[in-house]
Structure formats: structure tokens, C-alpha cells
Amino acid sequence: MAITTKWSVNDMTHKDSDGGVFLVYWSLTATDGTYSAQEGGKLRCTADPSASDYIAYADLKESDVLGWVYDSLKEGDETAAEAKARIEAERTAKVQGQIDRAAANSNGVPW
């Protein structure tokens, strides 16, 4: 079975006064249906309601917030898309390692 990845925003904390999000809890799960590997964390944000790219809390989509997460994961000169791909590749490799180890071992007795 193919290994798939799924990014999720699990929770967010925002200010009631202006809807500015200041904390995002996120996760990534890679799985083949049997084996899985996870990555997750929290992203601290600074909301600026006067910014031209500000999105009101009620209008946010998960894809908007995941864009912030990908951007926060960049290393060096990476783009957000490259950071996303790197993290997915790392988790996918962990699942593949679990699959490979399971395939190289057997249970049972010789009699």
C-alpha cells in the first residue's frame, strides 16, 4: 500500500477582541495503513489586523493556517513548499523503515 501524508491544524488560540491567532497546534501523519510516523508542533504567531494580508479568524481556512506552518518550517533558502516536502519525505522514510524492518523478520518456531 502507498504511504500517504496528512497535515492537520488540531487547535488554535486567538484573541477574542480582534480574532488574531497567536498559537497554532499542527500535526503531520504519514501512514501506509499499518505503520505510521508523526510530526507535530506549535507555531506562535503575531497577528496584525491592520496588515493587508490579514485574514479574520472567522474567514480562515485550514489551508491558510497550514501555509503559515509550512513557512515556519523553512530552513536556509528553502521555500515553504520545499520545507513541506522535506518534512513529508522524512516522515515517509520513517514509515518505509518500519515496513522494511517488518519484511526482514518473521515470527514462529522451527518445529
Side-chain angles (χ1 to χ4, degrees), residues 7 11 31 48-49 61 69 88 92 97 100:
W7 291 84
D11 200 6
T31 185
D48 180 1
K61 297 180 192 91
V69 171
E88 288 175 350
T92 298
D100 294 346

Side-chain angles (χ1 to χ4, degrees), residues 71-106:
D71 194 57
S72 75
L73 296 171
K74 294 187 302 189
E75 292 182 352
D77 293 335
E78 278 183 329
T79 65
E82 291 168 338
K84 175 183 181 275
R86 175 179 46 80
I87 300 294
E88 288 175 350
E90 290 170 358
R91 294 303 127 216
T92 298
K94 288 202 176 274
V95 173
Q96 189 61 55
Q98 294 171 17
I99 294 167
D100 294 346
R101 283 188 296 281
N105 298 302
S106 300

Side-chain angles (χ1 to χ4, degrees), residues 42-57:
K42 62 183 172 183
L43 169 63
R44 295 188 188 282
C45 307
T46 304
D48 180 1
S50 66
S52 62
D53 61 349
Y54 179 80
I55 304 170
Y57 177 76

